[in-house]
Amino acid sequence: MIAVLDFGMGNIHSLLKAVSLYTTDFQFTSDIETVKKADKIILPGDGHFDKAMQNLNGAGFSSVLKEHVAAKKFLLGICIGYQVLFEDSDETSKPGATIPGLGLIRGKIRKFEGKPNLKVPHMGWNKLFDIKAKNTKLLKGIPNESFMYFIHSYRPVGVDRLDITANCHYYGESFPAVVEKETVFGTQFHPEKSDTIGLGILKNFIEL
């Protein structure tokens, strides 16, 4: 069974519809016992890192997610669910402060630095580059330079190169758009909103 985690972060109707294309064995749930029994977990959502971690910690999901990964079961984080996989973020109202993440992937979440010719958030269609075709399970069959739909103001930095399976270019830099580490997977973009190719990424995860 796949648990799509309901932790109060954004409208996920399109994700549930996309998952239902490939399996009926899933639940959108905030019940911690149901989540514990899941073979796979999808951690979706939009919004603020601080609020996401407050919700995960407050509901007891953070420890459950870590136990799930320790048991070598599959986890997919999408958008804010991707960012909380990392060590910490400075997406907080307190200057100079950081908020701890789940720490499942090495790296830190930091805001794009402002430049006059580019806007924050990074919103809309952009390409994936540097896909590690031989070393990726999530991007199996996904062509290099495939377009995906992004909406975010923060991105990971300091990520272990071995954990990065695709990059994206924005603000004159490359940032990790997809990570894979053992049974932990994450996408900064929304695969469920990224047309047929994006749906193929969800299909790959569901079929692991």
Side-chain angles (χ1 to χ4, degrees):
M1 185 270 291
I2 300 173
V4 181
L5 195 60
D6 178 8
F7 66 114
M9 297 303 294
N11 182 357
I12 65 160
H13 174 74
S14 58
L15 175 63
L16 298 178
K17 184 177 179 180
V19 172
S20 72
L21 295 174
Y22 305 109
T23 183
T24 58
D25 191 17
F26 73 96
Q27 294 186 46
F28 178 49
T29 183
S30 60
D31 179 67
I32 200 163
E33 295 304 319
T34 301
V35 176
K36 286 180 179 179
K37 294 174 184 176
D39 302 304
K40 299 183 178 79
I41 296 174
I42 299 177
L43 186 59
D46 297 304
H48 197 275
F49 188 103
D50 193 356
K51 178 62 174 175
M53 287 308 304
Q54 286 181 33
N55 291 1
L56 290 171
N57 291 332
F61 286 137
S62 294
S63 59
V64 171
L65 291 168
K66 291 175 183 179
E67 290 167 5
H68 180 88
V69 171
K72 303 298 182 184
K73 295 194 285 186
F74 295 111
L75 171 64
L76 171 63
I78 297 171
C79 198
I80 196 63
Y82 168 72
Q83 294 189 359
V84 297
L85 300 176
F86 293 91
E87 295 171 289
D88 66 41
S89 174
D90 63 358
E91 189 177 11
T92 171
S93 58
K94 299 177 182 178
T98 58
I99 305 297
L102 295 172
L104 298 172
I105 301 285
R106 179 186 172 189
K108 301 175 184 299
I109 303 299
R110 297 294 183 265
K111 192 171 186 178
F112 283 114
E113 297 178 5
K115 293 184 180 180
N117 61 327
L118 290 170
K119 296 180 179 179
V120 175
H122 171 212
M123 183 169 62
W125 295 90
N126 207 341
K127 294 179 181 179
L128 299 183
F129 293 95
D130 312 318
I131 292 176
K132 296 180 181 177
K134 293 182 179 179
N135 301 320
T136 177
K137 296 175 182 174
L138 195 63
L139 301 183
K140 180 180 177 182
I142 305 301
N144 202 43
E145 300 192 23
S146 293
F147 279 94
M148 300 294 161
Y149 186 80
F150 291 83
I151 178 167
H152 62 117
S153 299
Y154 292 73
R155 85 295 193 205
V157 299
V159 181
D160 191 326
R161 292 176 62 185
L162 294 176
D163 297 337
I164 302 169
T165 48
N167 289 302
C168 183
H169 301 331
Y170 194 64
Y171 264 79
E173 67 172 86
S174 292
F175 67 88
V178 183
V179 294
E180 301 183 31
K181 184 177 182 179
E182 298 179 353
T183 61
V184 180
F185 303 82
T187 67
Q188 178 60 76
F189 54 88
H190 287 273
E192 76 280 8
K193 297 179 181 179
S194 299
D195 207 0
T196 304
I197 296 179
L199 292 176
I201 294 173
L202 281 177
K203 185 174 184 285
N204 283 342
F205 178 75
I206 290 167
E207 293 180 349
L208 286 173

mmCIF file of all heavy atoms in Angstrom, residues 1 15 74 121 123 126 135 160 171 178 180 184:
data_model
loop_
_atom_site.group_PDB
_atom_site.id
_atom_site.type_symbol
_atom_site.label_atom_id
_atom_site.label_comp_id
_atom_site.label_asym_id
_atom_site.label_seq_id
_atom_site.Cartn_x
_atom_site.Cartn_y
_atom_site.Cartn_z
ATOM 1 N N MET A 1 0.833 -1.196 0.000
ATOM 2 C CA MET A 1 0.000 0.000 0.000
ATOM 3 C C MET A 1 0.874 1.255 0.000
ATOM 4 O O MET A 1 1.901 1.303 0.676
ATOM 5 C CB MET A 1 -0.919 -0.010 1.225
ATOM 6 C CG MET A 1 -1.931 1.134 1.277
ATOM 7 S SD MET A 1 -1.314 2.608 2.139
ATOM 8 C CE MET A 1 -1.240 2.023 3.830
ATOM 9 N N LEU A 15 -2.229 15.303 -7.682
ATOM 10 C CA LEU A 15 -1.348 14.175 -7.353
ATOM 11 C C LEU A 15 -2.154 12.904 -7.135
ATOM 12 O O LEU A 15 -1.808 11.834 -7.651
ATOM 13 C CB LEU A 15 -0.515 14.488 -6.114
ATOM 14 C CG LEU A 15 0.349 13.324 -5.614
ATOM 15 C CD1 LEU A 15 1.387 12.923 -6.661
ATOM 16 C CD2 LEU A 15 1.022 13.674 -4.302
ATOM 17 N N PHE A 74 10.407 2.570 0.549
ATOM 18 C CA PHE A 74 10.536 3.675 -0.389
ATOM 19 C C PHE A 74 9.782 4.928 0.053
ATOM 20 O O PHE A 74 8.647 4.852 0.520
ATOM 21 C CB PHE A 74 10.044 3.259 -1.774
ATOM 22 C CG PHE A 74 10.869 2.175 -2.408
ATOM 23 C CD1 PHE A 74 10.344 0.907 -2.592
ATOM 24 C CD2 PHE A 74 12.170 2.422 -2.805
ATOM 25 C CE1 PHE A 74 11.101 -0.096 -3.175
ATOM 26 C CE2 PHE A 74 12.936 1.424 -3.391
ATOM 27 C CZ PHE A 74 12.400 0.164 -3.578
ATOM 28 N N PRO A 121 9.432 33.636 -7.255
ATOM 29 C CA PRO A 121 9.847 32.243 -7.386
ATOM 30 C C PRO A 121 10.199 31.822 -8.812
ATOM 31 O O PRO A 121 9.805 32.473 -9.775
ATOM 32 C CB PRO A 121 8.608 31.475 -6.910
ATOM 33 C CG PRO A 121 7.460 32.363 -7.248
ATOM 34 C CD PRO A 121 7.976 33.759 -7.012
ATOM 35 N N MET A 123 9.159 29.765 -11.441
ATOM 36 C CA MET A 123 7.818 29.231 -11.674
ATOM 37 C C MET A 123 7.609 28.964 -13.158
ATOM 38 O O MET A 123 7.872 29.833 -13.996
ATOM 39 C CB MET A 123 6.757 30.204 -11.171
ATOM 40 C CG MET A 123 5.325 29.699 -11.304
ATOM 41 S SD MET A 123 4.133 30.724 -10.410
ATOM 42 C CE MET A 123 4.319 32.295 -11.251
ATOM 43 N N ASN A 126 10.685 24.115 -16.985
ATOM 44 C CA ASN A 126 12.130 24.177 -17.146
ATOM 45 C C ASN A 126 12.656 22.764 -17.374
ATOM 46 O O ASN A 126 11.978 21.782 -17.070
ATOM 47 C CB ASN A 126 12.797 24.821 -15.925
ATOM 48 C CG ASN A 126 14.113 25.495 -16.267
ATOM 49 O OD1 ASN A 126 14.717 25.222 -17.301
ATOM 50 N ND2 ASN A 126 14.572 26.360 -15.390
ATOM 51 N N ASN A 135 22.151 5.154 -13.413
ATOM 52 C CA ASN A 135 22.092 5.079 -11.945
ATOM 53 C C ASN A 135 20.771 5.545 -11.358
ATOM 54 O O ASN A 135 20.665 5.742 -10.162
ATOM 55 C CB ASN A 135 23.223 5.921 -11.344
ATOM 56 C CG ASN A 135 24.586 5.452 -11.793
ATOM 57 O OD1 ASN A 135 24.830 4.259 -11.878
ATOM 58 N ND2 ASN A 135 25.475 6.375 -12.090
ATOM 59 N N ASP A 160 25.433 16.073 -1.863
ATOM 60 C CA ASP A 160 26.400 15.092 -2.337
ATOM 61 C C ASP A 160 26.118 14.763 -3.799
ATOM 62 O O ASP A 160 24.999 14.396 -4.153
ATOM 63 C CB ASP A 160 26.290 13.827 -1.474
ATOM 64 C CG ASP A 160 27.421 12.841 -1.716
ATOM 65 O OD1 ASP A 160 27.909 12.741 -2.866
ATOM 66 O OD2 ASP A 160 27.804 12.136 -0.769
ATOM 67 N N TYR A 171 18.839 31.071 -12.607
ATOM 68 C CA TYR A 171 19.652 32.096 -11.948
ATOM 69 C C TYR A 171 21.136 31.908 -12.218
ATOM 70 O O TYR A 171 21.986 32.191 -11.379
ATOM 71 C CB TYR A 171 19.400 32.098 -10.432
ATOM 72 C CG TYR A 171 18.386 33.135 -10.035
ATOM 73 C CD1 TYR A 171 17.033 32.898 -10.217
ATOM 74 C CD2 TYR A 171 18.779 34.358 -9.508
ATOM 75 C CE1 TYR A 171 16.097 33.843 -9.878
ATOM 76 C CE2 TYR A 171 17.845 35.310 -9.163
ATOM 77 C CZ TYR A 171 16.503 35.054 -9.360
ATOM 78 O OH TYR A 171 15.586 36.001 -9.029
ATOM 79 N N VAL A 178 16.420 16.496 -8.866
ATOM 80 C CA VAL A 178 16.023 15.139 -8.474
ATOM 81 C C VAL A 178 17.149 14.524 -7.651
ATOM 82 O O VAL A 178 18.327 14.629 -8.024
ATOM 83 C CB VAL A 178 15.757 14.233 -9.696
ATOM 84 C CG1 VAL A 178 15.267 12.853 -9.249
ATOM 85 C CG2 VAL A 178 14.742 14.860 -10.642
ATOM 86 N N GLU A 180 18.251 10.851 -5.390
ATOM 87 C CA GLU A 180 17.975 9.456 -5.045
ATOM 88 C C GLU A 180 19.091 8.981 -4.118
ATOM 89 O O GLU A 180 20.270 9.101 -4.446
ATOM 90 C CB GLU A 180 17.946 8.570 -6.293
ATOM 91 C CG GLU A 180 16.908 8.970 -7.320
ATOM 92 C CD GLU A 180 16.860 8.015 -8.515
ATOM 93 O OE1 GLU A 180 17.147 6.815 -8.331
ATOM 94 O OE2 GLU A 180 16.551 8.479 -9.617
ATOM 95 N N VAL A 184 15.322 6.580 -0.756
ATOM 96 C CA VAL A 184 14.769 7.933 -0.640
ATOM 97 C C VAL A 184 14.885 8.645 -1.982
ATOM 98 O O VAL A 184 15.969 8.705 -2.571
ATOM 99 C CB VAL A 184 15.496 8.748 0.442
ATOM 100 C CG1 VAL A 184 14.904 10.156 0.547
ATOM 101 C CG2 VAL A 184 15.407 8.042 1.787
#
